[in-house]
Amino acid sequence: MLNRQSNHWLNFVGGEWVDGKTAIEVRDPSTDQVFATIASADVDDVENAVSAARQCVREGRLTRQRPAERAELMYRIGAEIRELAEEGALLASRENGKSINDARDEFIESARYFEYYGGMADKIEGKSIPLGEDYIDFTYYEPQGISVQIVPWNFPVSICARSLAPALAAGNAVIVKSPELSPLAITLLATACERAGLPKGALSILAGPGRATGAALVAHKETNQIVFTGSVPTGQAIMRSAAENSVPCVMELGGKSAAVAFADADMDQLVCSVKGGIFFNAGQVCSAMSRLLVQREIYDEVVGRVAELAQGLSIGGGKDNPDLTPVVSMQQRDGILDMCRQAEEDGARLVTGGHAVEGLPGAFVQPTVFADVTPQMRLFREEVFGPVIAITPFDTEEEAYELANGTDYGLVAGVFTQDISRAMRASQALDAGQVFVNEWFAGGIETPFGGNRLSGYGREKGQEALYSYVRTKNVAIRVSR
Ligand code: NAD
């Protein structure tokens, strides 16, 4: 079936593409012009999605398949996503502002999630527990049931696939709430699932306002699991709602992650990491290198090199694949610029950037470098979610770790040094779910990812993530004699 009528997109509810009573306008951030609409799901759509998911779970449409068959299904979904990557890249770039190359990568990464977790579908093995010869005891894993997944706008396709693939591989039915600002490209995951033969009810993807559609889904009594990626306040509201029904959550929240550059760091390696770390996806990455802590001996040189890097970046709309693309909306741009103004008022040194890009009509923010940022400043502690890096000097190793750990977040951290012992000490001292050594964003879909403290709990990616989507059942058998 068609997933849209001309430029109006539909929701995927229990295996059918359905329209809504109202619609959401979707804008191109590089021009701020509306170019499409999508049906907005209401409470009736939520009920229909839940009832379709419940039916799928009750009838065991996924769990009755042999796991090896489910693995085949996952591989087929991966292949269909690869087929849709070009079409999807254009759409994702247009609705989100990101470059077409990065948007295509999102689709390829999404296909990889299905292939990776497809490979695990028939390896979710339980244990046998020795209780002496009068008992046989074993555990096995069963799916949680209905998994509700709430997705943010920065990587809507790959973040969706990151949770959807392990959930389906483990036999769950999934209801996804797509983000208001980028709700289109994510629907192609439903198209891929439909083409690959995913049973009806195993997936619904609903667009709609977080506070209505999202809130109705997470408060629904038949939900068995909530996976949320997004901001801290929304995550906290969802955790409160989940507590009412005692529903387990995976929470992937924000970050204010620091790279620690010691005096012996390889300067080119560091600068290259800064480029990807804070300017990739216009800095709208939860695990962005939003802070850079630099040992005093190389401080001036690093500030100079990072400023030179920022000034040399090409800026433009996603279709031209520049180094720096617009942020997702004019509202997001204005929030970032407000934070830059406040950082200056607080006494941070604006080295370059800090303003909108003149001559470009959309949501463009100049690549921005602040130096001499101190822990008292808001810029040191709060997520900007834009192309803005805060640089702070340090003298000793202890001071570096104290500064790095000096926010309420703990998502990722990085260390740049040639000294392997210091790198190991850093990995122990840095309070974060993942520590990068000498390359920001080292790792991949195979490496567990998630935060400590306000950055959330639970892990996505890697083999470990699969176990969030199952629950353990123990069977204890008395042997009669
Ligand atoms: P957001 O919290 O505003 O929205 C995220 C999603 O939650 C959207 O789909 C929204 O509609 C929905 N939502 C809003 N209110 C809701 C409610 N009451 N109940 C249910 N759903 C609701 O976040 P955002 O602005 O879309 O994304 C940016 C944030 O996401 C940043 O803080 C970023 O750090 C974080 N993020 C984290 C990760 C990670 O893996 N740790 C990845 C990407 C983004």
Side-chain angles (χ1 to χ4, degrees):
M1 253 205 64
L2 274 187
N3 56 358
R4 62 176 163 147
Q5 297 153 351
S6 180
N7 272 349
H8 177 67
W9 296 71
L10 305 176
N11 285 314
F12 189 68
V13 184
E16 308 288 335
W17 292 98
V18 300
D19 206 350
K21 295 185 192 84
T22 56
I24 296 172
E25 291 186 332
V26 186
R27 287 172 188 272
D28 177 341
S30 67
T31 58
D32 196 33
Q33 299 298 310
V34 174
F35 72 97
T37 53
I38 185 164
S40 183
D42 61 12
V43 284
D44 291 339
D45 296 308
V46 167
E47 280 309 324
N48 290 340
V50 172
S51 116
R54 181 178 54 223
Q55 205 146 340
C56 175
V57 169
R58 281 203 185 142
E59 289 178 12
R61 290 181 197 158
L62 279 175
T63 45
R64 278 199 192 141
Q65 293 183 359
R66 280 183 72 114
E69 247 181 276
R70 215 155 57 229
E72 290 294 333
L73 170 63
M74 302 292 288
Y75 297 143
R76 287 200 302 277
I77 297 173
E80 294 291 349
I81 294 174
R82 285 180 192 276
E83 285 287 311
L84 289 162
E86 285 309 316
E87 176 189 344
L90 292 176
L91 196 56
S93 164
R94 185 115 194 250
E95 67 178 332
N96 184 280
K98 64 179 63 199
S99 79
I100 288 182
N101 286 345
D102 292 345
R104 187 183 303 109
D105 286 349
E106 255 202 75
F107 276 87
I108 302 304
E109 185 173 316
S110 299
R112 284 276 299 121
Y113 280 119
F114 280 87
E115 291 154 3
Y116 181 82
Y117 288 109
M120 286 185 73
D122 55 356
K123 298 172 193 70
I124 311 173
E125 295 171 353
K127 270 187 197 161
S128 140
I129 298 168
L131 292 178
E133 63 180 19
D134 289 342
Y135 299 91
I136 307 270
D137 189 289
F138 60 92
T139 63
Y140 64 89
Y141 292 109
E142 51 187 23
Q144 299 271 12
I146 300 179
S147 171
V148 165
Q149 308 188 347
I150 311 279
V151 177
W153 47 259
N154 57 342
F155 295 96
V157 179
S158 58
I159 286 179
C160 181
R162 177 175 91 179
S163 318
L164 177 58
L168 292 177
N172 296 276
V174 179
I175 305 172
V176 174
K177 212 296 277 169
S178 61
E180 293 92 318
L181 292 173
S182 305
L184 305 182
I186 191 174
T187 64
L188 295 188
L189 294 179
T191 301
C193 289
E194 196 181 22
R195 288 183 183 171
L198 185 75
K200 275 193 189 310
L203 172 64
S204 291
I205 301 189
L206 308 181
R211 284 178 189 197
T213 317
L217 267 173
V218 298
H220 203 288
K221 293 216 172 321
E222 291 184 62
T223 298
N224 301 111
Q225 182 204 30
I226 298 170
V227 180
F228 174 73
T229 305
S231 63
V232 173
T234 308
Q236 289 168 331
I238 291 175
M239 285 185 265
R240 279 192 285 273
S241 171
E244 290 293 317
N245 299 325
S246 193
V247 168
C249 298
V250 175
M251 285 282 149
E252 297 284 3
L253 309 177
K256 189 73 197 181
S257 305
V260 180
F262 286 98
D264 65 345
D266 178 316
M267 192 61 76
D268 292 336
Q269 215 169 27
L270 174 65
V271 174
C272 180
S273 272
V274 172
K275 184 175 177 194
I278 191 63
F279 299 123
F280 166 58
N281 212 40
Q284 302 164 115
V285 183
C286 52
S287 49
M289 187 201 288
S290 51
R291 292 184 297 143
L292 176 56
L293 313 176
V294 185
Q295 203 156 23
R296 188 96 50 193
E297 292 92 308
I298 56 165
Y299 185 71
D300 289 340
E301 186 187 355
V302 169
V303 172
R305 289 281 303 267
V306 173
E308 199 183 317
L309 162 78
Q311 285 155 358
L313 296 177
S314 58
I315 305 175
K319 65 180 174 8
D320 300 321
N321 285 311
D323 297 320
L324 190 78
T325 48
V327 295
V328 74
S329 67
M330 299 304 267
Q331 197 189 357
Q332 182 76 6
R333 181 197 74 171
D334 294 343
I336 295 168
L337 297 179
D338 275 349
M339 278 199 77
C340 291
R341 266 190 293 278
Q342 173 153 22
E344 273 196 277
E345 277 169 30
D346 288 348
R349 172 158 61 94
L350 179 63
V351 184
T352 186
H355 300 281
V357 177
E358 274 180 34
L360 291 176
F364 290 91
V365 176
Q366 293 174 338
T368 301
V369 180
F370 277 100
D372 308 343
V373 178
T374 63
Q376 294 71 38
M377 296 176 188
R378 201 176 147 209
L379 185 65
F380 186 92
R381 290 175 278 112
E382 289 183 25
E383 195 175 35
V384 179
F385 228 56
V388 179
I389 193 163
I391 312 186
T392 302
F394 71 87
D395 291 298
T396 65
E397 200 173 316
E398 292 67 37
E399 189 190 355
Y401 303 147
E402 202 177 304
L403 286 167
N405 295 339
T407 74
D408 293 332
Y409 294 105
L411 190 53
V412 303
V415 57
F416 291 78
T417 179
Q418 299 302 309
D419 179 340
I420 183 71
S421 293
R422 182 153 52 196
M424 292 315 300
R425 287 197 298 276
S427 73
Q428 292 163 340
L430 292 167
D431 185 359
Q434 188 171 28
V435 176
F436 306 128
V437 178
N438 291 335
E439 184 186 284
W440 199 263
F441 296 140
I445 69 161
E446 305 85 349
T447 48
F449 173 77
N452 301 341
R453 297 180 287 142
L454 272 194
S455 294
Y457 54 82
R459 294 292 178 264
E460 292 283 20
K461 301 186 176 181
Q463 295 189 22
E464 198 166 315
L466 190 79
Y467 295 92
S468 303
Y469 297 91
V470 291
R471 53 193 184 200
T472 306
K473 179 161 277 176
N474 180 259
V475 181
I477 305 165
R478 169 80 202 205
V479 179
S480 304
R481 297 192 186 277

